[in-house]
Amino acid sequence: MNTAPRPKATVIIPANNEAAYIGACLDKVLSSASDIPFETIVVANACTDTTVDIAHEIEGHSQNPARPIRVIATETGGKLNALQLGDDAARADIRIYLDADVSVSRALIPAIIAALETGAPRYASGTPEIAPAQSPVTRAYARFWQKLPFISNGVPGFGLFAVNAPGRARWQAWPDIISDDTFARLNFAPSERVRVPETYRWPMIEGLSGLIRVRRRQDRGVKEIGEEFPDLLKNADPAASSGTQKLRAILRDPLGFLVYGFIALCVRIPVGTSTWARGR
């Protein structure tokens, strides 16, 4: 007889060749504080490394019936397809979508579950921290980027976002788009988004060329949503900051601003049409 409690949330982790990260990601998830039951589904998509083996090993060693792990392996690539497979297999109404390279703090998942236990549609995320970078360029870019109001005050949801059942009902299957986090966030008005103070750590890509490549992808993703789902733009964040706020940020960190501005300028130079790049 199965006496495991019904999960209050499903953590869905899409993973494509994440052998270097998936073990640490799952360890952090499983060590979450409190006794709130939740399940974790790893959707390993088109992996050619040992991601599946590592996830299955952790699944086999998991001893907590209130924190079960399931691994779904598919030969079909694509993050959005992986998110859909996770949704189809989920048993809980609250969905927490987590990138495999993200490390959550012990209190984050319980805090998100608490924030989403309401009958009103809600979108939630934690307070992001950028993992220490190796590249001086990435360190300078990340330092300035984290001070932007959208990052420091908003609910950006990169690397981790969550919705409750009324919120997830706002769309059906995941569309085949570049930016899943932007799509999900813009399905909610700013007043429906909740930022909890508990933290998670997200690694930023190293080096100038990587930052330019990822920033281009992000811009294409936002443009694509505007073209494919123009009604969602009504939920865009209000004006990010005043001229005075921007000037203060520049004066506090002129080097960071120069790096940030140079990358923003490079992004405007037309290149190829690749639609996917890792955030780190």
Side-chain angles (χ1 to χ4, degrees):
M1 182 176 179
N2 185 2
T3 59
R6 181 173 179 80
K8 288 197 170 186
T10 299
V11 179
I12 298 172
I13 307 176
N16 169 255
N17 290 341
E18 298 286 4
Y21 293 91
I22 191 64
C25 176
L26 287 172
D27 285 345
K28 292 292 187 180
V29 169
L30 293 176
S31 63
S32 295
S34 89
D35 57 357
I36 297 175
F38 64 84
E39 64 177 354
T40 301
I41 300 175
V42 178
V43 186
N45 59 99
C47 290
T48 57
D49 64 359
T50 58
T51 297
V52 176
D53 296 333
I54 295 170
H56 273 310
E57 182 177 3
I58 296 174
E59 176 187 23
H61 291 159
S62 179
Q63 301 295 318
N64 188 347
R67 303 274 169 90
I69 301 175
R70 283 181 283 162
V71 180
I72 298 173
T74 175
E75 295 181 358
T76 303
K79 183 178 181 181
L80 279 300
N81 180 66
L83 293 179
Q84 189 61 53
L85 290 175
D87 271 334
D88 293 343
R91 294 188 295 144
D93 290 336
I94 292 174
R95 309 289 167 81
I96 302 174
Y97 304 98
L98 175 66
D99 285 358
D101 56 2
V102 167
S103 296
V104 299
S105 60
R106 294 189 71 244
L108 178 58
I109 289 178
I112 286 178
I113 292 172
L116 294 178
E117 288 187 314
T118 172
R122 289 290 182 269
Y123 167 101
S125 187
T127 297
E129 296 177 343
I130 305 302
Q134 303 297 317
S135 161
V137 170
T138 298
R139 285 199 297 270
Y141 181 89
R143 190 174 61 242
F144 189 83
W145 184 72
Q146 289 179 90
K147 296 174 184 175
L148 298 175
F150 172 70
I151 305 301
S152 60
N153 301 326
V155 195
F158 55 83
L160 183 152
F161 61 90
V163 298
N164 59 8
R168 183 60 183 84
R170 290 194 167 170
W171 70 94
Q172 299 302 311
W174 284 95
D176 185 14
I177 55 175
I178 297 171
S179 185
D180 55 288
D181 53 344
T182 303
F183 172 79
R185 185 179 73 252
L186 292 183
N187 267 277
F188 299 83
S191 61
E192 296 175 317
R193 304 176 204 152
V194 180
R195 176 182 178 133
V196 300
E198 289 74 14
T199 61
Y200 65 95
R201 179 163 286 194
W202 180 79
M204 184 173 283
I205 197 165
E206 297 285 354
L208 180 63
S209 62
L211 287 166
I212 294 171
R213 184 174 70 254
V214 169
R215 177 68 182 271
R216 282 196 179 115
R217 172 188 175 272
Q218 292 168 344
D219 286 0
R220 283 196 297 269
V222 172
K223 181 180 178 181
E224 178 185 48
I225 288 173
E227 294 171 347
E228 299 291 332
F229 307 96
D231 289 347
L232 295 183
L233 296 182
K234 68 181 185 297
N235 291 328
D237 292 87
S241 62
S242 67
T244 301
Q245 288 175 305
K246 291 178 181 177
L247 180 59
R248 288 174 179 169
I250 293 169
L251 292 176
R252 284 196 300 264
D253 189 2
L255 177 60
F257 169 72
L258 286 175
V259 173
Y260 180 87
F262 178 74
I263 289 172
L265 181 63
C266 291
V267 167
R268 296 179 179 272
I269 301 173
V271 291
T273 58
S274 174
T275 60
W276 193 86
R278 293 187 190 276
R280 45 85 190 145

